[in-house]
Amino acid sequence: MDAAFTAEQDEIRRTLRDLLAERDTGRTAPAPDGYDTALWHRLSRDLGLPGLALPEKYGGGGRGPAELAVALEETGRALLPSPLLATAVLAAPLILALGTDEQRTALLPSLAAGGLTAALAVPGGSLSTALGLTGDLTGGVWAGGGRAGGVQARPAGGDGGGWRLYGEAAQVLDGHSAGLLLVAAHTGGFPRSRTLLFLVRTDGPQPPAGLVRTPQASLDVTRPLARIELRDTAAELLGADDTVDAISALAATGRAAAVALAAEAAGAAAAALERTADYVGERERSGRAGGSFQAVKLRLADLYVRVRSARSAAYYAAWDPESGGLALAQALETLRITTTEAVQLHGGAGFTGEDEARLYFNRAASDELLLGPVHRLRDHAAQRAGLFGQERAGGPAGNGPAGRVAV
């Protein structure tokens, strides 16, 4: 493991930071899609951002988790409202892992080019559980286990094949605007239920029959959420047949997503700390700082150590995805502590909804609701590592990404 950034990683960081600095991306989530579509298309065209980690044969950049982590760290710094997380981190890897050659060829180039966005819809309202970050996926208890509730799938019948979906999923990230939904649903009924993934295209001139998408309130306006309702909606099975192992694919995607999300949270924490340090320094220079400035500097120094440690853990996890859950827990905790201190050190200004400190605080609270809580992330990671007498489930995934990984 080489602890230096490569020239390519530095270029990704510099180019992305310069581009995001041109726009005030962190203050609003433009309607109706929840993100700046012009900026998204520019990020897709100039940087190939949504396809950064996809194979070149599907129009991607062929890069590894370290490069994706660099990109997510920069978008986290800017609180960028974009479909990057839902499309490139959650949906595209599942299509790559489970899709048939025809499905990959039809969908991945469009996702890599940014012309098509996607969202992962899982019942139960817990993305972290569905990705195997805070609990065991076996048996599908996280999504109802085939009992009433969740999303149920049944063969459509007839010569055309296909499937029909019935149920709902809440708190779907970018679910209101995505042109493609990946829906986790049960087949077979209780007690022989099996969880599979299904494709629902929503980018046509008319929405699919029986599909209702309702935006939901979110603490963080840059993290738009939606409720997905399916009432006998036509869908296509992701994969060749119903023997595909969707549970293992979700767990593998969860480990990789934890790395990217840890880097994103570390980037947001670093930006919040930098803005707070600038604010405190300005008040000190103008003679408006209250209390002991030395005590404030010590608080900032402690936050600096936390942020650097969280960032290092995120990039180490890019080399060993099995540590992704712990890295994510550390990053989310660091973001929460850093933004709480930022609000306090900003004084009364930090309590206004428009202030930057409040925006970063809202991201911290929203992320922990969506991806945590931190104590469950740590508990599940400890169980997997065998700290409580159980064998570690698997080892480091291969020899890490190609090229060097920076810490």
Side-chain angles (χ1 to χ4, degrees):
M1 177 178 176
D2 192 329
F5 283 109
T6 67
E8 183 181 37
Q9 291 165 354
D10 284 334
E11 181 64 17
I12 292 172
R13 183 186 307 282
R14 183 194 63 79
T15 305
L16 188 52
R17 186 174 297 190
D18 289 347
L19 184 58
L20 295 180
E22 297 177 6
R23 310 176 70 99
D24 184 13
T25 59
R27 291 190 176 278
T28 58
D33 293 326
Y35 61 94
D36 186 335
T37 54
L39 176 60
W40 172 248
H41 291 311
R42 186 176 176 186
L43 293 171
S44 304
R45 181 187 67 247
D46 296 349
L47 297 179
L49 202 59
L52 191 64
L54 286 174
E56 294 181 5
K57 66 180 292 187
Y58 297 117
R63 303 301 183 263
E67 286 75 24
L68 189 59
V70 168
L72 266 292
E73 183 184 358
E74 290 306 311
T75 60
R77 288 178 61 91
L79 296 184
L80 175 68
S82 82
L84 180 64
L85 175 57
T87 299
V89 178
L90 299 178
L94 289 168
I95 296 173
L96 182 63
L98 297 177
T100 63
D101 289 339
E102 181 180 7
Q103 289 171 334
R104 294 173 184 170
T105 302
L107 298 174
L108 291 179
S110 296
L111 293 173
L116 177 66
T117 61
L120 175 62
V122 295
S126 177
L127 182 62
S128 60
T129 303
L131 293 174
L133 296 174
T134 56
D136 185 9
L137 293 177
T138 306
V141 176
W142 54 277
R147 298 176 183 268
V151 180
Q152 307 296 322
R154 61 175 178 81
D159 296 334
W163 294 75
R164 314 292 293 189
L165 303 181
Y166 192 95
E168 67 178 42
Q171 299 181 14
V172 178
L173 185 62
D174 289 328
H176 68 297
S177 62
L180 173 70
L181 297 177
L182 270 69
V183 183
H186 291 289
T187 66
F190 184 79
R192 300 175 64 88
S193 176
R194 179 178 176 80
T195 302
L196 298 171
L197 291 172
F198 297 86
L199 303 170
V200 178
R201 295 293 296 258
T202 64
D203 57 342
Q206 296 293 331
L211 173 66
V212 178
R213 301 194 284 181
T214 306
Q216 291 185 288
S218 174
L219 286 172
D220 180 7
V221 295
T222 70
R223 286 273 204 243
L225 303 174
R227 178 184 299 278
I228 306 298
E229 297 178 69
L230 304 137
R231 299 293 181 263
D232 202 31
T233 303
E236 176 185 352
L237 176 67
L238 179 61
D241 53 49
D242 60 3
T243 63
V244 296
D245 191 353
I247 295 300
S248 294
L250 282 167
T253 298
R255 290 190 291 273
V259 177
L261 291 164
E264 185 193 57
L273 176 59
E274 290 170 10
R275 286 161 169 75
T276 303
D278 289 344
Y279 177 81
V280 170
E282 181 182 348
R283 290 184 63 86
E284 171 65 16
R285 288 189 294 271
S286 64
R288 294 179 291 125
S292 171
F293 186 61
Q294 183 65 31
V296 171
K297 288 196 295 184
L298 290 175
R299 291 167 68 181
L300 293 176
D302 178 68
L303 294 177
Y304 177 80
V305 173
R306 286 181 178 274
V307 170
R308 296 296 295 185
S309 296
R311 186 171 182 260
S312 295
Y315 282 106
Y316 176 81
W319 175 74
D320 177 13
E322 286 291 333
S323 65
L326 285 176
L328 179 57
Q330 183 174 354
L332 291 180
E333 183 178 60
T334 297
L335 181 58
R336 169 167 36 89
I337 293 173
T338 302
T339 56
T340 300
E341 288 277 18
V343 169
Q344 293 177 353
L345 292 173
H346 272 77
F351 287 93
T352 63
E354 296 78 14
D355 186 82
E356 285 184 334
R358 172 60 64 174
L359 293 173
Y360 283 93
F361 179 85
N362 288 349
R363 167 60 67 89
S366 175
D367 273 7
E368 193 158 355
L369 286 173
L370 186 66
L371 306 166
V374 166
H375 71 274
R376 289 188 60 193
L377 286 166
R378 286 194 171 126
D379 177 72
H380 187 61
Q383 295 285 350
R384 287 182 54 81
L387 297 183
F388 302 119
Q390 298 179 359
E391 293 184 4
R392 175 170 172 156
N399 294 320
R404 296 181 293 172
V405 179
V407 177

